[in-house]
């Protein structure tokens, strides 16, 4: 029971601090640091599938609200990422590719993003 409580508090602190960091950290070429996405990938590797899915739901909702994205844009990508990591069990192969693919995902679903797709993907490769 003690371990579950500590994991819950850690997840809650990660969500709050990660959302604050995503909002406050500077952006280069319209691309910021993917703190919540990286936290979702981290929790997908160490937690059960239920805990990882719940964390991805909340982190994706926070990302959507911070970035003013359409409903379930980030949530759907975060859930796909978490399930893909659990199905393949290769997080070290998938993790570096997640953020550039997320930029492509955003350009597919959101028509009025700032910056072009090429500059967003180019800037997201070293950040991811």
């Amino acid at each position: 029971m003690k371990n579950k409580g500590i994991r819950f508090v850690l997840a809650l602190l990660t969500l709050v601090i990660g959302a604050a960091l995503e909002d406050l950290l500077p952006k280069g070429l319209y691309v910021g640091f993917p703190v919540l996405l990286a936290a979702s990938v981290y929790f997908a590797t160490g937690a059960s599938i239920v805990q990882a899915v719940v964390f991805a739901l909340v982190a994706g909702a926070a990302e959507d609200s911070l970035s003013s994205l359409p409903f379930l844009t980030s949530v759907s990508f975060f859930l796909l990422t978490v399930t893909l990591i659990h199905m393949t069990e290769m997080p070290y192969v998938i993790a570096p590719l997640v953020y550039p693919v997320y930029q492509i995902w955003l350009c597919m679903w959101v028509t009025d993003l700032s910056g072009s797709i090429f500059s967003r993907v180019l800037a997201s490769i070293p950040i991811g």
Side-chain angles (χ1 to χ4, degrees), residues 29-32 34 37 63 77 97-110 113-114 116-117 119-125:
L29 292 175
Y30 303 105
V31 176
L37 183 60
E63 179 74 29
F77 185 79
L97 304 173
V98 169
Y99 195 50
V101 172
Y102 177 62
Q103 294 300 322
I104 295 169
W105 179 269
L106 287 179
C107 289
M108 283 184 351
W109 294 110
V110 181
L113 281 177
S114 303
S116 69
I117 178 66
S119 64
R120 292 179 75 88
V121 170
L122 185 65
S124 69
I125 289 172

Side-chain angles (χ1 to χ4, degrees), residues 70-81:
F71 185 63
L72 296 179
T73 305
S74 296
V75 173
S76 58
F77 185 79
F78 284 22
L79 287 175
L80 285 172
T81 302

Side-chain angles (χ1 to χ4, degrees), residues 36-107:
L36 293 174
L37 183 60
S40 294
V41 169
Y42 172 76
F43 276 101
T45 59
S48 69
I49 187 70
V50 174
Q51 292 171 346
V53 164
V54 170
F55 187 85
L57 280 169
V58 176
E63 179 74 29
D64 284 342
S65 66
L66 285 173
S67 303
S68 300
L69 293 172
F71 185 63
L72 296 179
T73 305
S74 296
V75 173
S76 58
F77 185 79
F78 284 22
L79 287 175
L80 285 172
T81 302
V82 166
T83 54
L84 183 67
I85 287 174
H86 266 282
M87 286 174 53
T88 60
E89 297 179 359
M90 296 186 319
Y92 299 112
V93 176
I94 297 171
L97 304 173
V98 169
Y99 195 50
V101 172
Y102 177 62
Q103 294 300 322
I104 295 169
W105 179 269
L106 287 179
C107 289

